[in-house]
Amino acid sequence: MNFASLPDRRADLDPHGPAVSDATGSLTNAQFLNRVRTATRHLHYRGIGPRDFVALKLTNRTEFVVLLFATWRLGATITPVNPALTDVEIVRQLADSAARLLVVEDGTTLMGGVATLAVGDLHDAPVAADPAPPSDTSAPALLIYTSGTTGVPKGVVLDHTNVVAMAEMGAHALQLGPADRCLLILPLFHVNGIVVSVLTPLLAGASVVIAGRFDPRTFFGLVESERPTFFSAVPTIYSILAALPDDVRPDTSSLRFGICGAAPASAELLTRFEDRYGFPLLEGYGLSEGTCASTLNPVSGPRRTGTVGIAFPGQEIRIVDANGTEMGPGVDGEVVVRGPNVMRGYLGRPEDTARTVVDGWLHTGDVGHLDPEGYLTLVGRSKDMIIRGGENIYPKEIEDVLAGDPSVLEAAVIGVPDTIWGEVVVAYVQPTPGSTVDPAALHALCARKLSRYKRPTTIVVVDAIAKNAVGKIDKAALRAAHTTAPATS
């Protein structure tokens, strides 16, 4: 199956049933199909065709979902752009993907070098029909950019086989059906928001309510008014909700479960949240390279706090040592994943692809172990990746920015614990001989070059950065020395 035909199927089966809604209104399945057809005609008019890339730099809104399907009906590919990225980062993504069109919010400053469409100018006049949706399942569907250990973001190519397989696995594992209703609160520039909170429920015949930016003051009001049956969020969101005043006692009776992923959650948080709000949290694990999810604690069956659950149906999980030898239960090693959800590769990076996907197995770089029943426990992260509020941050990208200042000889970036964000970014810098480092100037440099969530909360100037016996920066020693997190900003 190619996802481009899903709006047609839904409209045939239940034309008056709910499809997608946001703060501006709701669309039935028939209305959604009409909007998709109209947008398809508009994109075709703008010259979009097979194998082109369309970039969406949009907030959460119905038009994002409409444009997903419209782009796919033309055989083209969507690459979502985080609206919080700097101009430098956006230009880099657009250039790497060779995007033919960038769709932006109304009033956005236009980007040079690529055709731009303001979302408010998207045609809405109905069209009678459009060409039959393509059936090619090998066509790229999504190009998701994720930071790599080199510090340069890499484009993860997910084709329709990947996306459909993941959505089918998710619908089965979550036991979704037409009566379900998903509340989308995660950003649509993430594969989680697109696949788990939109494509999976739509494939299952369920409907989607698109919320704007998460706000703890209004979240439960949305739950009470929209009556969703599930939603997906990161541990930071659950921590914020769990810390609301005791007099906040919402009606959560519509919710069957919440999904918790993108970063580790403590067993204490999961238990405290469930005891207070009365519905279970299902912790899972996955990567963009695996089309979002590979394990999940079951909806029906034992949920084991401290683990990220069992493999999705159709996926295999192994634990291997450095030589690729499979390890037994309880023995730590690298987590590797195999299944139809594993990416087709990194765009234009065959060597990186070959190192990451070996004989069909996705090497995650994460360290963990399986118990005899197949529940996965993660014990560490490869390299030194930082997870701030569910956002993956690789230190080298920040270190390269800092080292670009002439006064900085060397930089080392670590994550330190934070009660709200899970981790925050702290940078250690060593001055070049004879120079004086100005932390304020470095903060300003980071503000120009990096998205807000990547910027260090604190820059510590030291005479020398700690090294290990072989002369490499000793980040374990830096983290051990930095025992308390600074105030977040």
Side-chain angles (χ1 to χ4, degrees):
M1 172 188 168
N2 183 303
F3 249 107
S5 62
L6 183 60
D8 306 74
R9 192 171 76 180
R10 287 179 61 97
D12 286 342
L13 291 173
D14 186 11
H16 303 296
V20 181
S21 65
D22 64 11
T24 67
S26 60
L27 298 175
T28 66
N29 289 319
Q31 291 169 334
F32 180 60
L33 174 59
N34 286 335
R35 289 280 298 275
V36 169
R37 285 174 169 170
T38 303
T40 303
R41 179 72 58 87
H42 193 159
L43 293 180
H44 177 70
Y45 172 76
R46 295 296 299 263
I48 301 302
R51 305 287 169 159
D52 285 336
F53 289 91
V54 175
L56 303 184
K57 181 177 175 279
L58 296 173
T59 57
N60 283 12
R61 55 191 302 161
T62 294
E63 289 85 354
F64 191 112
V65 182
V66 168
L67 285 162
L68 274 179
F69 288 95
T71 300
W72 292 338
R73 291 171 91 85
L74 294 169
T77 306
I78 286 289
T79 183
V81 178
N82 182 348
L85 294 181
T86 64
D87 287 351
V88 171
E89 294 165 319
I90 294 170
V91 168
R92 181 170 57 195
Q93 179 173 337
L94 296 177
D96 188 70
S97 64
R100 288 285 306 278
L101 181 69
L102 171 66
V103 185
V104 297
E105 299 288 339
D106 295 342
T108 301
T109 302
L110 301 183
M111 302 293 300
V114 62
T116 304
L117 171 65
V119 70
D121 294 336
L122 193 64
H123 294 172
D124 58 8
V127 296
D130 57 354
S135 58
D136 181 9
T137 60
S138 67
L142 295 171
L143 180 65
I144 304 292
Y145 277 83
T146 179
S147 294
T149 54
T150 63
V152 178
K154 294 178 287 190
V156 176
V157 179
L158 303 175
D159 66 14
H160 283 273
T161 296
N162 294 143
V163 174
V164 171
M166 187 72 256
E168 289 177 342
M169 293 173 189
H172 178 80
L174 297 172
Q175 301 174 13
L176 299 183
D180 280 298
R181 189 166 173 80
C182 178
L183 177 61
L184 167 69
I185 58 173
L186 294 179
L188 277 170
F189 58 79
H190 274 183
V191 70
N192 190 318
I194 294 173
V195 175
V196 174
S197 296
V198 174
L199 300 183
T200 297
L202 289 182
L203 184 67
S207 59
V208 178
V209 179
I210 301 174
R213 188 180 181 90
F214 169 73
D215 185 340
R217 298 167 297 180
T218 60
F219 173 77
F220 282 120
L222 277 172
V223 169
E224 292 179 337
S225 63
E226 298 292 347
R227 305 295 291 167
T229 59
F230 77 101
F231 66 96
S232 180
V234 298
T236 295
I237 288 176
Y238 291 115
S239 295
I240 291 170
L241 294 176
L244 290 175
D246 290 340
D247 60 356
V248 176
R249 295 290 171 181
D251 176 5
T252 62
S253 58
S254 68
L255 288 166
R256 296 201 290 124
F257 54 82
I259 302 169
C260 183
S266 69
E268 185 273 336
L269 170 61
L270 299 178
T271 300
R272 177 160 50 92
F273 188 96
E274 292 182 26
D275 288 347
R276 175 169 181 179
Y277 293 116
F279 61 92
L281 298 185
L282 312 180
E283 189 174 11
Y285 160 76
L287 292 82
S288 297
E289 290 87 342
T291 322
C292 186
S294 289
T295 69
L296 184 73
N297 271 280
V299 173
S300 301
R303 298 194 314 277
R304 299 187 179 176
T305 54
T307 80
V308 290
I310 57 177
F312 274 78
Q315 295 190 50
E316 300 173 75
I317 305 289
R318 286 183 180 176
I319 306 297
V320 300
D321 66 12
N323 298 316
T325 302
E326 188 171 3
M327 313 302 289
V331 181
D332 288 338
E334 184 184 11
V335 180
V336 296
V337 177
R338 184 167 69 177
N341 57 299
V342 172
M343 69 171 180
R344 294 300 168 246
Y346 296 114
L347 182 69
R349 296 173 179 268
E351 293 180 356
D352 288 334
T353 301
R355 283 193 294 266
T356 304
V357 182
V358 181
D359 296 328
W361 289 92
L362 172 64
H363 285 248
T364 69
D366 291 311
V367 179
H369 59 260
L370 294 168
D371 70 13
E373 286 72 44
Y375 285 76
L376 175 64
T377 298
L378 298 175
V379 298
R381 297 193 297 277
S382 67
K383 310 300 181 183
D384 300 296
M385 187 175 72
I386 301 163
I387 300 181
R388 177 193 182 275
E391 297 278 8
N392 293 349
I393 302 169
Y394 285 89
K396 185 152 192 315
E397 182 179 6
I398 307 166
E399 291 164 354
D400 287 347
V401 169
L402 293 169
D405 187 287
S407 69
V408 175
L409 175 66
E410 202 165 33
V413 170
I414 61 171
V416 301
D418 182 82
T419 55
I420 296 297
W421 297 106
E423 289 181 303
V424 292
V425 177
V426 170
Y428 283 79
V429 296
Q430 180 178 336
T432 54
S435 297
T436 300
V437 170
D438 178 3
L442 293 183
H443 279 297
L445 174 66
C446 291
R448 293 194 302 272
K449 298 287 189 179
L450 298 167
S451 304
R452 184 175 178 82
Y453 70 89
K454 298 177 184 177
R455 300 171 195 165
T457 60
T458 297
I459 296 175
V460 181
V461 181
V462 293
D463 292 334
I465 294 176
K467 303 287 179 64
N468 62 20
V470 295
K472 294 183 178 180
I473 291 175
D474 190 347
K475 291 191 176 180
L478 288 176
R479 284 189 288 265
H482 202 113
T483 55
T484 59
T488 61
S489 60

